[in-house]
């Protein structure tokens, strides 16, 4: 066998080695790429899970804040409503007292008008009686003058 065979065998061995090296390199590279893809997928999945968890946490915090604000607003509304009811009650009490005073004043006015009416009737009756008495006095004086035959000047 000669040099040529050795060279040929060496070249064939070199070609087989190179081919095996390329195949092994491809296999190793494919495996590394697959591992890298798996790692990337796991990282992305983990990031998604973490993002979802953060999203849920942020939503929960937001809901808690909304609930707290709602509770605070409801408490403030109830306090304002209580204050308003107190004011309305005070106003109603004042209104009731004013109406009672107005009723008393109206009753007093009515009583005064009744008393004035009675007073006017008494004054008219007294004036009528005075007129009647004066008329009777004049009549008696005239009779006395007739009976006595004298005048008031005499």
């Amino acid at each position: 066998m000669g040099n040529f065979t050795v060279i040929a065998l060496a070249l064939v061995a070199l070609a087989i080695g190179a081919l095996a090296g390329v195949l092994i390199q491809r296999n190793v590279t494919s495996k590394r790429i697959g591992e890298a893809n798996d790692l990337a997928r796991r990282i992305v999945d983990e990031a998604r899970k973490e993002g979802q968890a953060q999203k849920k946490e942020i939503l929960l915090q937001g809901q808690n804040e909304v609930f707290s604000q709602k509770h605070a607003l409801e408490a403030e509304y109830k306090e304002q409503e209580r204050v308003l009811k107190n004011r309305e009650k005070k106003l109603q009490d004042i209104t009731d007292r004013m109406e009672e005073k107005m009723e008393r004043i109206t009753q007093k006015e009515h009583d005064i008008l009744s008393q004035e009416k009675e007073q006017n009737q008494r004054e008219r009756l007294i004036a009528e009686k005075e007129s009647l008495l004066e008329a009777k006095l004049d009549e008696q004086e005239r009779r006395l003058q007739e009976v006595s035959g004298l005048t008031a000047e005499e």
Side-chain angles (χ1 to χ4, degrees), residues 35 39 45 54 69 74 81 84 86 93-94 102 104 112-113 117 122 135:
E35 287 174 358
L39 180 61
D45 288 344
Q54 287 178 351
Q69 288 177 354
E74 286 174 348
E81 187 176 37
L84 183 61
N86 285 343
D93 291 346
I94 290 170
M102 287 301 294
R104 286 194 305 265
I112 289 171
L113 288 175
K117 188 175 181 182
R122 284 185 197 141

Side-chain angles (χ1 to χ4, degrees), residues 1-10 12:
M1 287 201 154
N3 275 342
F4 180 69
T5 312
V6 171
I7 292 178
L9 280 175
V12 169

Side-chain angles (χ1 to χ4, degrees), residues 9-23:
L9 280 175
L11 283 176
V12 169
L14 184 63
I16 290 175
L19 183 59
V22 169
L23 289 176

